[in-house]
């Protein structure tokens, strides 16, 4: 089956629709229909500000959707990907009690229950089956809320989409939950080539059993819609026959799936009205709204998102994916769209696409800003107006750019546009931790990497303008500090390639990167940002960025911990964050059971070496990880009291590539260094080459680093990463 000609833009619209839907419904998730009606009225726009909540949040609907579909990439884009392999993907990307899921406990949270089954060695689909977990637990909504990605990689192929959704859903769910997920996945896949809502519903019904509750409920809703024009009256009929009082658990599939079908029928084929109905109607608002937003986005494309109020502007493409792959936690709708599209293309045997040569920020989709916003610390008079424009005559290899219109920039005044590469602020991070979905992340940009950008000065500019790259990095008080690269004066019509190697920051992580515009005699003008990118491994030393001072030690609620929060903690203990200044060593690894990882870095890092001095205390083993792609996928240099090993770890299983006798001694410092270059791995102990091997398959082509501990305590001094 050939891909639709507008596949890229339709996936982008689906991703945006998902985000908009979730952000609309998240602030009042769990409220009753009556409470929403009384306190908020009809949900016609974002209400986060009325409830004192941020708009862009961590949420399982978003994180699971764009994380679990990575199983296809990790397993070679195999169309016969199994439920068991998708379950292994859960174990790789999830960090127990910290990322993606609602960790509500065994028998209470369906996904947590399934995770515990997987962890104990029970593969999917048994991990989510009714036989294992009981009908009520197995038939909750989670199978549906994560399925959009599976549909978007199977455009126009509803049977394949339903099949994928069934395999993915069975990791944690069964019964009616799978039928609801398969029905919606088929509808979304068909929406790439069909716009009629009723025909899409017919497609959804065609992939589920005729004797299922979901099937009967959909037909009932269609009958009510045909005779009852008032959506509120129709909702009462749905609530009476299929409401929470008849379907147990915290968030059952049947009532919520019913609300989605109901909203599609009563929504008059309008994006805003459909989302208004599904959100005002209550129950699991963010889940239902996210799924419906995605379906409507796919069906009607980007134009359909713009028929009502500006939903896209406040979102600015931003989303968070907090997983064990921390370098991808701070991401955007365009990046996730390209990933999904390339997965869909790979499933069709097609080559991947790489807009503008594969740069990170290319803006080459209509309206895309990829998180670029004004620096809100600058006086509002210096705001730069940001727009995505179609100007193929200006771009080197694309068709769209960011237009940056500046005004009020008297000499010496600056404007900045920037995008986040790490947790946006300590205060926002605390909000996420308080609501149950932590934002674990590693900075995407690191010292030693070279940032590059192409900019063009508009031909109509009346005077020259100084432009430079800049970053904002955290300091001792968790505030951000601006650091700009060398400026370049640009006259009207000139283009320039800006390059700047990020300097050493004494251990402080980078928060944002962007472009700084400095007034140079003219009050206003325009420049274009064609693209911005960086690549390669960093040259950085991770260390405590200040002298330890017990007199200044902060309690858990204090500041000054962003340098440690730049590590994604896959260890059993969280103590290292709250006791940052109490321990004499820079990092203390504490692992109670099995193997734990403390991770930093990005999937794009390929050839580099990582080094650290580690002192073991009562532990089975420990060491360094490289090309780390999660909790269960990495290369490692491991030491114990008897030997040194080079291992390749996949699905949590070690393959020993090389080993040597002689290990480390408890209480003695041991300098370790792991070098990865192409297929070759080399491990050094106290500056001596001890183990070396090749991985002919080059199983892991890229990834970040990890400090590894097995059942015990290890002290670690500064950690260094350098390119080779």
């Amino acid at each position: 089956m050939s891909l639709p000609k507008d596949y890229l833009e339709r996936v982008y619209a689906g991703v945006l629709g998902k985000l908009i839907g979730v952000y609309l419904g998240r602030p009042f998730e769990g409220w009753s229909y009556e409470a929403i009606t009384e306190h908020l009225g009809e949900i016609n726009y974002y209400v986060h500000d009325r409830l004192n909540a941020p708009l862009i949040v961590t949420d399982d609907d978003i994180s699971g959707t764009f994380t679990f579909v990575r199983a296809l990439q990790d397993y070679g884009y195999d169309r016969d990907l199994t439920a068991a392999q998708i379950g292994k993907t859960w174990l790789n990307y999830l960090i127990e009690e910290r990322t993606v899921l609602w960790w509500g406990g065994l028998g209470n949270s369906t996904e947590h229950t399934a995770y515990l089954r997987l962890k104990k060695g029970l593969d999917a689909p048994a991990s989510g089956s009714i036989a294992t977990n009981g009908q009520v637990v197995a038939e909750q909504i989670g199978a549906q809320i994560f399925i959009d990605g599976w549909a978007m990689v199977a455009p126009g192929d509803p049977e394949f989409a339903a099949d994928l959704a069934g395999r993915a859903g069975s990791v944690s769910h069964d019964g009616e939950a799978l039928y609801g997920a398969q029905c919606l996945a088929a509808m979304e896949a068909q929406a790439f080539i069909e716009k009629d809502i009723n025909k899409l519903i017919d497609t959804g019904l065609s992939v589920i059993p005729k004797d299922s509750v979901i099937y009967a409920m959909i037909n009932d809703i269609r009958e009510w819609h045909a005779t009852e024009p008032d959506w509120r009256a129709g909702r009462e009929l749905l609530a009476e026959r299929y409401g929470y009082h008849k379907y147990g658990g915290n968030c059952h599939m049947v009532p919520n799936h019913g609300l989605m079908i109901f909203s599609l029928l009563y929504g008059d084929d309008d994006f805003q009205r459909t989302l208004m109905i599904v959100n005002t109607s209550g129950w699991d608002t963010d889940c239902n709204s996210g799924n419906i937003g995605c379906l409507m986005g796919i069906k009607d494309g980007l134009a359909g998102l713009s028929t009502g109020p500006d939903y896209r502007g406040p979102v600015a493409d931003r989303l968070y994916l907090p997983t064990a792959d921390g370098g991808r936690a701070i991401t955007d709708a365009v990046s996730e769209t390209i990933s999904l599209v390339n997965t869909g293309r790979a499933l069709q045997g097609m080559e991947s696409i790489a807009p503008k040569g594969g740069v990170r920020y290319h803006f080459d989709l209509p309206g895309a800003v990829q998180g670029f916003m004004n620096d809100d610390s600058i006086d509002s008079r210096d705001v730069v107006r940001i727009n995505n424009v179609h100007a193929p005559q200006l771009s080197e290899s694309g068709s769209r750019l960011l237009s940056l219109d500046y005004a009020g920039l008297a000499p010496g005044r600056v404007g900045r546009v920037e995008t986040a590469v790490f947790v946006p602020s300590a205060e926002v991070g605390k909000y996420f931790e308080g609501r149950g979905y932590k934002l674990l992340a590693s900075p995407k940009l690191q010292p030693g990497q070279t940032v590059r950008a192409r900019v063009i000065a508009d031909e109509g500019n009346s005077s020259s303008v100084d432009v430079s790259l800049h970053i904002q990095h955290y300091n001792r008080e968790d505030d951000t500090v601006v650091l700009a690269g060398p400026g370049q004066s640009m006259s009207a019509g000139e283009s320039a390639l800006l390059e700047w190697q990020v300097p050493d920051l004494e251990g402080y992580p980078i928060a944002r990167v962007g472009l700084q515009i400095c007034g140079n005699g003219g009050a206003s003008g325009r420049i274009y940002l064609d693209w911005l990118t960086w690549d390669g491994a960093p040259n950085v030393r991770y260390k405590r960025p200040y002298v330890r001072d017990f007199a200044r030690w902060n309690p858990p609620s204090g500041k000054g911990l962003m340098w440690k929060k730049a590590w994604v903690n896959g260890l059993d203990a969280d103590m290292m964050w709250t006791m940052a200044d109490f321990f004499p060593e820079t990092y203390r690894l504490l692992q109670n059971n099995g193997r734990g990882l403390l991770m930093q870095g990005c999937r794009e890092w390929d050839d580099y070496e990582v080094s650290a001095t580690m002192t073991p205390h009562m532990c089975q083993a420990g060491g360094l990880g490289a090309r780390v792609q999660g909790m269960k996928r990495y290369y490692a240099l491991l030491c114990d009291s008897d030997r040194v090993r080079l291992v390749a770890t996949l699905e949590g299983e070690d393959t020993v590539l090389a080993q040597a006798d002689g290990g480390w001694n408890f209480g003695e410092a041991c300098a370790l260094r792991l070098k990865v270059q192409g297929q070759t791995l080399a491990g050094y102990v106290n500056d001596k080459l001890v183990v070396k091997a090749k991985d002919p398959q080059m199983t892991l082509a890229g990834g970040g680093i990890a400090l590894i501990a097995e059942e015990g305590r290890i002290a670690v001094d500064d950690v260094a990463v350098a390119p080779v």
Side-chain angles (χ1 to χ4, degrees):
M1 179 176 293
S2 60
L3 297 176
K5 292 182 179 179
D6 57 353
Y7 179 43
L8 176 61
E9 286 193 18
R10 297 281 283 281
V11 172
Y12 183 39
V15 171
L16 287 171
K18 176 78 173 184
L19 300 181
I20 292 166
V22 171
Y23 298 152
L24 271 171
R26 184 62 187 88
F28 48 90
E29 181 187 19
W31 290 28
S32 68
Y33 166 65
E34 291 76 17
I36 294 170
T37 301
E38 178 182 355
H39 296 287
L40 298 173
E42 291 187 351
I43 307 300
N44 287 303
Y45 197 62
Y46 302 117
V47 299
H48 63 288
D49 51 348
R50 295 164 61 182
L51 299 174
N52 195 30
L55 176 64
I56 313 302
V57 296
T58 50
D59 193 90
D60 55 344
D61 301 80
I62 294 171
S63 300
T65 296
F66 299 108
T67 297
F68 299 147
V69 73
R70 296 185 205 172
L72 284 164
Q73 177 183 357
D74 291 347
Y75 287 96
Y77 303 106
D78 186 355
R79 292 178 68 91
D80 295 321
L81 177 77
T82 66
Q85 290 171 322
I86 301 172
K88 301 291 187 187
T89 303
W90 279 47
L91 293 176
N92 184 53
Y93 289 113
L94 300 184
I95 300 177
E96 188 172 4
E97 306 271 359
R98 294 174 193 158
T99 63
V100 180
L101 305 181
W102 171 51
W103 301 95
L106 183 69
N108 187 39
S109 162
T110 299
E111 292 78 16
H112 192 177
T113 300
Y115 178 87
L116 292 172
R117 306 300 191 203
L118 293 166
K119 183 181 175 184
K120 289 185 177 181
L122 188 65
D123 283 340
S127 56
S129 69
I130 290 174
T132 301
N133 301 325
Q135 185 171 2
V136 171
V137 170
E139 290 192 336
Q140 300 301 299
I141 195 175
Q144 181 169 269
I145 68 177
F146 302 143
I147 63 90
D148 307 283
W150 304 100
M152 286 188 279
V153 301
D157 194 346
E159 291 81 10
F160 184 42
D163 191 12
L164 289 172
R167 295 179 231 167
S170 70
V171 173
S172 50
H173 292 74
D174 199 358
E176 295 294 335
L178 293 188
Y179 304 148
Q182 290 178 301
C183 178
L184 182 63
M187 292 172 64
E188 289 188 356
Q190 188 68 6
F192 281 96
I193 58 175
E194 174 60 65
K195 290 183 176 292
D196 186 271
I197 291 291
N198 273 292
K199 290 182 180 179
L200 293 178
I201 294 173
D202 289 340
T203 298
L205 289 173
S206 72
V207 300
I208 64 174
K210 290 182 171 59
D211 61 352
S212 64
V213 175
I214 296 289
Y215 193 99
M217 177 182 64
I218 291 174
N219 284 328
D220 285 343
I221 295 170
R222 295 176 101 170
E223 289 183 12
W224 299 333
H225 175 253
T227 58
E228 176 52 72
D230 182 356
W231 73 265
R232 291 185 182 272
R235 186 208 172 276
E236 293 303 314
L237 293 172
L238 174 65
E240 179 181 355
R241 185 172 297 185
Y242 295 102
Y244 271 22
H245 64 292
K246 288 195 174 184
Y247 294 92
N250 298 299
C251 226
H252 202 280
M253 170 68 82
V254 169
N256 288 290
H257 188 87
L259 271 186
M260 292 197 305
I261 300 297
F262 164 86
S263 301
L264 286 169
L265 289 171
Y266 279 94
D268 297 336
D269 213 13
D270 177 79
F271 183 78
Q272 183 190 26
R273 177 172 169 79
T274 302
L275 290 189
M276 180 277 291
I277 293 173
V278 81
N279 278 293
T280 308
S281 294
W283 292 330
D284 200 344
T285 48
D286 62 333
C287 297
N288 300 336
S289 180
N291 284 138
I292 290 304
C294 183
L295 172 61
M296 293 293 289
I298 294 170
K299 185 176 78 70
D300 296 331
L302 294 172
L305 305 180
S306 305
T307 57
D310 177 21
Y311 285 120
R312 292 183 62 183
V315 172
D317 290 326
R318 294 170 293 167
L319 70 147
Y320 303 131
L321 301 181
T323 72
D325 187 5
R328 192 168 167 179
I330 311 300
T331 184
D332 61 82
V334 175
S335 298
E336 297 310 311
T337 293
I338 297 298
S339 178
L340 287 171
V341 165
N342 282 334
T343 297
R345 292 175 65 88
L347 290 170
Q348 297 288 338
M350 301 171 65
E351 292 185 356
S352 62
I353 61 171
K356 298 184 181 178
V359 296
R360 292 173 181 269
Y361 304 102
H362 54 80
F363 321 111
D364 214 27
L365 283 166
V369 297
Q370 294 189 255
F372 273 79
M373 304 180 75
N374 280 279
D375 174 6
D376 58 11
S377 68
I378 297 178
D379 188 290
S380 61
R381 290 173 297 175
D382 294 331
V383 166
V384 177
R385 192 166 67 251
I386 304 171
N387 289 294
N388 179 291
V389 296
H390 182 260
Q393 73 279 8
L394 296 176
S395 177
E396 279 185 329
S397 57
S399 60
R400 309 192 74 90
L401 311 88
L402 280 194
S403 168
L404 309 176
D405 290 20
Y406 55 91
L409 296 185
R413 302 285 284 171
V414 299
R416 299 188 195 98
V417 295
E418 55 192 15
T419 190
V421 295
F422 183 43
V423 180
S425 77
E427 291 302 315
V428 169
K430 290 177 184 176
Y431 171 83
F432 295 145
E433 291 176 6
R435 61 183 286 275
Y437 298 113
K438 293 184 178 181
L439 178 51
L440 302 188
S442 289
K444 295 197 294 185
L445 175 61
Q446 304 265 358
Q449 294 184 303
T450 299
V451 185
R452 305 188 309 278
R454 182 175 183 268
V455 295
I456 307 101
D458 189 77
E459 291 184 351
N461 289 354
S462 58
S463 62
S464 64
V465 60
D466 287 341
V467 183
S468 61
L469 294 162
H470 81 277
I471 60 170
Q472 296 210 37
H473 65 84
Y474 285 106
N475 65 9
R476 178 68 177 89
E477 303 302 322
D478 291 344
D479 298 320
T480 55
V481 178
V482 176
L483 183 63
Q488 180 159 337
S489 180
M490 300 182 63
S491 299
E494 287 186 343
S495 64
L497 178 64
L498 305 179
E499 291 193 9
W500 178 44
Q501 186 175 54
V502 180
D504 178 67
L505 299 174
E506 298 297 326
Y508 289 113
I510 300 169
R512 297 183 287 279
V513 65
L515 212 60
Q516 178 171 284
I517 305 168
C518 184
N520 190 20
S524 63
R526 175 183 299 165
I527 64 170
Y528 300 95
L529 177 57
D530 190 4
W531 49 262
L532 186 148
T533 196
W534 63 89
D535 48 38
N539 193 343
V540 61
R541 179 171 293 274
Y542 302 113
K543 60 182 181 179
R544 179 185 285 110
Y546 48 82
V547 176
R548 186 168 61 93
D549 181 358
F550 283 107
R552 292 194 64 191
W553 177 70
N554 289 311
S557 60
K559 293 185 176 182
L561 296 180
M562 296 305 288
W563 64 280
K564 282 204 168 184
K565 288 183 179 292
W567 292 82
V568 172
N569 188 9
L571 297 162
D572 283 341
D574 254 343
M575 187 184 300
M576 60 171 298
W577 310 125
T578 58
M579 307 289 281
D581 280 349
F582 187 75
F583 302 136
E585 64 266 29
T586 309
Y587 307 100
R588 177 167 292 188
L589 313 183
L590 300 172
Q591 183 69 10
N592 300 327
N593 297 287
R595 184 182 295 173
L597 282 69
L598 184 65
M599 296 164 282
Q600 172 93 247
C602 300
R603 185 70 68 97
E604 295 83 11
W605 298 4
D606 46 20
D607 293 347
Y608 60 87
E609 62 179 30
V610 52
S611 58
T613 297
M614 310 180 79
T615 304
H617 300 274
M618 197 192 74
C619 66
Q620 283 195 359
L624 302 174
R627 293 185 182 166
V628 178
Q629 299 181 0
M631 294 292 291
K632 307 292 183 181
R633 296 170 60 89
Y634 50 85
Y635 292 122
L637 172 65
L638 298 176
C639 290
D640 56 35
S641 57
D642 299 318
R643 58 184 175 164
V644 178
R645 290 173 290 154
L646 275 178
V647 303
T649 302
L650 287 176
E651 296 185 346
E653 300 293 327
D654 292 344
T655 297
V656 177
L657 302 176
Q659 63 180 358
D661 293 336
W664 56 16
N665 299 315
F666 288 168
E668 293 184 9
C670 184
L672 300 180
R673 179 158 52 103
L674 174 58
K675 181 178 178 180
V676 288
Q677 187 171 19
Q679 300 176 342
T680 303
L681 295 86
Y684 299 78
V685 178
N686 294 324
D687 290 327
K688 180 182 178 182
L689 177 62
V690 175
V691 282
K692 188 174 182 179
K694 282 194 174 183
D695 180 5
Q697 285 76 38
M698 203 161 81
T699 310
L700 302 167
I705 65 168
L707 307 177
I708 302 173
E710 287 187 17
E711 297 190 10
R713 168 186 156 201
I714 301 174
V716 185
D717 292 329
D718 298 353
V719 182
V721 179
V724 296

